[in-house]
Amino acid sequence: MDNGIMFGEEILTLLILVVFIGIPLFLTGVNLWNAFAKKKFIPRVFAVLTLVIGQIFYWILLTGGFDLSGKDYAETIYRFQLHNIIDSAHLLSFVLPCLVGVAGLMILLLCKPKYLPPLVSASAIGAVLIGNVMSVLYAIQITKQVDQPVFLLLYLYHFNLLLLSVSGIRQHIQEQTVLIQERKTQFRYQWVEKLYKFLSKASHMGLFSFALVFPLAALLEVVLILCGQGADGIVKAFTMTADWTFSTQIPPPPLEYDGHYLCTVAAGGHKKVVRPLRFGTRLGHPIVVNRQLCIANAFEELIRERTPRMHRQVRHFYDTYGYPLSKIITTPFRADLTYVLMKPLEWLFLLVLYTFDANPEQRIAVQYPWKEEMTEK
């Protein structure tokens, strides 16, 4: 039976590794092949898959790995949470260039130059460059909070965006030069003909690309100003934040969570059900302690020591749902019911403690010690 459970856990672990590590690495490998190999492997399909799947995985890893509060720097959050990565008041200044960049990249990847008007082609390249600037800035913005190897997968997505952008622009220019040859285009100005010859011989396209950025950048700036974002909206989107790389704002002191619904259960339920053991001290205040409360706190202490990031996730879940629950435990019956419903979790916590702690009962016993000075007041 144990062997069967262990085998099932190994299969589940392998599946998670394949999904969250194998697929991004596979897509990156295919994109690298398509970028350098002469014979490409359905590049348009894999480019679209990279954009779609990569964005989904990116969001899962970002929201699952960081305790994002959804609040701006001026709002108070809990100590274990983080403020918004992008200031919400200037969110449009970030989102609009990103959307324009994605649209430009899709045009370059999916459309042949011969079907595109010249202005659309030029705008698409400029849009891709602007989108990449936003991508690089965002990647740098989150660097301050990246403290685990798994979060390198976030940068793998940014790398793929750059890789697809370079490949798309390069392919577009190559096809454009071939198209010019086929059409036997006559240039009105000698410098344009020299530029064409330069592009047809070299893959370097810095000056050409930057020249295309300015018209679209100016157009975006006009749109942003009309939408009330201001000429410095992009800068403020990254700097009017707290907790991140480009942040310049100092947030208010974090909240300390002062409620514990298991405390409510221990103090409010019938003694024969919740079985209070003794008095204890929490945040300087006396509380009634039962074994369920001690086990839960010992479990939290253990995971805080062994896996701090997992502890923040557990703490976030507990504070999100536990505190509102404590507000409705207003009768002994509700406290008893909560105690009974918590029993399976109590057993799970106990199993973890006995599996990973050398002295589980000692750890449980020392939770919420009673300070003698409390009896003197």
Side-chain angles (χ1 to χ4, degrees):
M1 185 68 177
D2 291 340
N3 292 335
I5 295 175
M6 292 178 62
F7 179 73
E9 292 177 349
E10 291 175 356
I11 294 296
L12 180 60
T13 302
L14 180 62
L15 182 62
I16 293 174
L17 290 175
V18 169
V19 171
F20 286 96
I21 298 179
I23 292 179
L25 289 177
F26 172 73
L27 291 174
T28 302
V30 174
N31 291 330
L32 284 170
W33 173 269
N34 289 333
F36 296 101
K38 292 184 178 180
K39 188 175 181 180
K40 304 181 186 301
F41 183 62
I42 48 176
R44 289 180 172 84
V45 173
F46 277 99
V48 174
L49 286 176
T50 300
L51 292 175
V52 176
I53 296 177
Q55 184 59 52
I56 293 173
F57 279 30
Y58 192 95
W59 180 251
I60 292 175
L61 186 59
L62 189 69
T63 56
F66 298 130
D67 298 307
L68 303 177
S69 64
K71 296 181 179 180
D72 289 324
Y73 73 92
E75 300 178 83
T76 304
I77 61 175
Y78 289 107
R79 185 174 298 277
F80 52 83
Q81 294 179 316
L82 296 170
H83 290 89
N84 285 338
I85 301 174
I86 301 296
D87 181 50
S88 62
H90 300 88
L91 186 62
L92 184 61
S93 295
F94 171 75
V95 172
L96 183 59
C98 289
L99 292 178
V100 168
V102 171
L105 184 57
M106 295 298 289
I107 290 173
L108 293 183
L109 293 174
L110 302 180
C111 301
K112 293 287 187 180
K114 63 181 179 180
Y115 299 121
L116 296 176
L119 184 59
V120 174
S121 292
S123 299
I125 295 177
V128 170
L129 293 175
I130 291 175
N132 275 280
V133 170
M134 293 296 103
S135 175
V136 171
L137 289 175
Y138 196 89
I140 298 174
Q141 177 80 327
I142 65 175
T143 301
K144 184 176 180 180
Q145 298 296 338
V146 173
D147 56 359
Q148 298 291 335
V150 68
F151 292 111
L152 294 177
L153 292 174
L154 294 172
Y155 296 105
L156 189 63
Y157 180 64
H158 290 284
F159 170 76
N160 275 275
L161 289 178
L162 289 172
L163 182 62
L164 291 175
S165 299
V166 172
S167 299
I169 292 175
R170 181 170 177 267
Q171 182 66 27
H172 188 84
I173 291 178
Q174 288 176 348
E175 293 179 4
Q176 193 70 260
T177 54
V178 171
L179 190 61
I180 289 174
Q181 288 179 340
E182 292 176 351
R183 292 175 177 175
K184 299 180 179 180
T185 303
Q186 298 294 322
F187 299 103
R188 293 181 58 185
Y189 301 101
Q190 188 177 7
W191 67 269
V192 178
E193 184 175 359
K194 290 181 179 179
L195 178 60
Y196 156 69
K197 291 180 180 179
F198 169 75
L199 290 174
S200 63
K201 293 180 180 179
S203 59
H204 184 270
M205 53 203 146
L207 295 176
F208 180 74
S209 298
F210 280 116
L212 296 173
V213 174
F214 294 118
L216 186 60
L219 177 61
L220 278 177
E221 196 60 53
V222 170
V223 174
L224 293 175
I225 292 174
L226 291 176
C227 292
Q229 294 293 294
D232 57 350
I234 293 177
V235 176
K236 288 184 176 180
F238 287 94
T239 59
M240 296 295 286
T241 59
D243 308 327
W244 306 95
T245 303
F246 294 121
S247 300
T248 60
Q249 303 303 309
I250 300 176
L255 292 173
E256 294 290 354
Y257 178 65
D258 59 358
H260 197 308
Y261 75 87
L262 288 181
C263 296
T264 307
V265 170
H270 293 97
K271 292 183 179 181
K272 290 184 179 181
V273 179
V274 300
R275 300 179 182 179
L277 297 175
R278 55 178 172 81
F279 285 104
T281 306
R282 174 179 169 79
L283 300 178
H285 302 286
I287 60 171
V288 177
V289 177
N290 65 354
R291 181 170 172 81
Q292 186 177 79
L293 175 60
C294 291
I295 290 175
N297 210 60
F299 168 78
E300 181 182 359
E301 183 182 80
L302 178 67
I303 63 172
R304 183 173 62 243
E305 294 173 358
R306 305 291 178 84
T307 57
R309 185 162 293 279
M310 178 182 176
H311 169 256
R312 288 197 290 269
Q313 296 297 314
V314 173
R315 187 74 243 181
H316 174 66
F317 179 85
Y318 189 87
D319 290 332
T320 301
Y321 300 102
Y323 184 68
L325 179 61
S326 68
K327 296 298 184 181
I328 64 173
I329 305 176
T330 56
T331 66
F333 173 77
R334 292 179 182 178
D336 294 346
L337 180 61
T338 304
Y339 174 83
V340 173
L341 293 176
M342 276 292 299
K343 268 298 176 182
L345 272 179
E346 177 189 339
W347 295 331
L348 175 62
F349 296 159
L350 197 61
L351 177 62
V352 172
L353 287 167
Y354 270 81
T355 304
F356 297 101
D357 197 323
N359 298 293
E361 287 299 331
Q362 181 180 355
R363 184 186 291 271
I364 294 170
V366 298
Q367 301 301 315
Y368 302 109
W370 173 245
K371 295 182 179 180
E372 293 298 331
E373 60 267 22
M374 297 296 298
T375 60
E376 300 173 2
K377 295 183 179 181

